[in-house]
Amino acid sequence: EIYIDSLSGNLLKITCHNGILDPVVCPPMNAKYAEEQILNAGGQYLGFPTEQPKVDFKTALMSCPHNPLSAKIIVGQYVQYTSGNRIPINAWMITLIGIPPLQPKGGKADHIPVYQRNRIRIAVNATSGKVIFATTNPGLPLTPEDKARLFPDLDD
């Protein structure tokens, strides 16, 4: 699926589906929640570039440090990105959803729900093709059931 702005003609998003999704394992991300997490981490999407990327989506996707073909959903956005006081750059923001669950560093993952470990976001410079970063942020919020299980003494 390719989403294009009808007024400007700018690419908004590319979504690739690979198989049938289990909504429990791969719940959808709330855009407002994701934006808040990105801003809290110091990053910001400033808009959609008007010029064509020098690095195409497929090339950016294949530079990901995680195997993109293992994902159930691949979402790509070509955006102007900045973090901190850095000069904005054109970047591919690629989210791999439904990948084999990642193991946390320094411990077991038994207590962390699969839906919080089976997605990763990769930023690729759309001019050079170099990976800028890879992160599990934005992540999904805990379901009320998992919140109660993980934090039984926490009152809402």
Side-chain angles (χ1 to χ4, degrees):
E1 300 169 347
I2 299 174
Y3 299 84
I4 297 176
D5 183 288
S6 62
L7 297 177
S8 69
N10 287 347
L11 173 69
L12 301 177
K13 179 168 71 172
I14 298 170
T15 304
C16 308
H17 299 270
N18 177 16
I20 299 172
L21 289 180
D22 178 349
V24 173
V25 176
C26 295
M29 171 65 79
N30 175 296
K32 185 171 176 59
Y33 184 80
E35 182 180 18
E36 287 173 9
Q37 285 190 17
I38 292 166
L39 287 170
N40 288 339
Q44 187 176 11
Y45 296 178
L46 301 175
F48 299 103
T50 55
E51 64 273 1
Q52 294 294 315
K54 289 187 174 35
V55 175
D56 64 42
F57 177 66
K58 181 181 175 188
T59 302
L61 182 64
M62 297 317 290
S63 70
C64 291
H66 193 86
N67 179 6
L69 301 178
S70 70
K72 297 291 183 196
I73 300 176
I74 299 169
V75 178
Q77 291 180 285
Y78 176 52
V79 300
Q80 284 187 316
Y81 174 80
T82 187
S83 72
N85 294 329
R86 293 194 174 105
I87 296 171
I89 61 166
N90 294 343
W92 285 105
M93 294 298 176
I94 300 170
T95 304
L96 306 178
I97 302 168
I99 61 174
L102 301 167
Q103 287 296 111
K105 290 184 179 179
K108 293 185 178 182
D110 298 344
H111 64 287
I112 303 172
V114 169
Y115 61 84
Q116 289 194 321
R117 298 182 293 117
N118 70 352
R119 58 185 66 219
I120 190 168
R121 184 170 58 104
I122 301 105
V124 178
N125 185 310
T127 302
S128 70
K130 293 185 179 184
V131 173
I132 303 165
F133 64 81
T135 181
T136 56
N137 180 24
L140 290 168
L142 289 170
T143 63
E145 298 79 18
D146 283 330
K147 195 176 203 178
R149 178 178 59 85
L150 294 170
F151 306 105
D153 298 330
L154 184 66
D155 293 327
D156 284 333

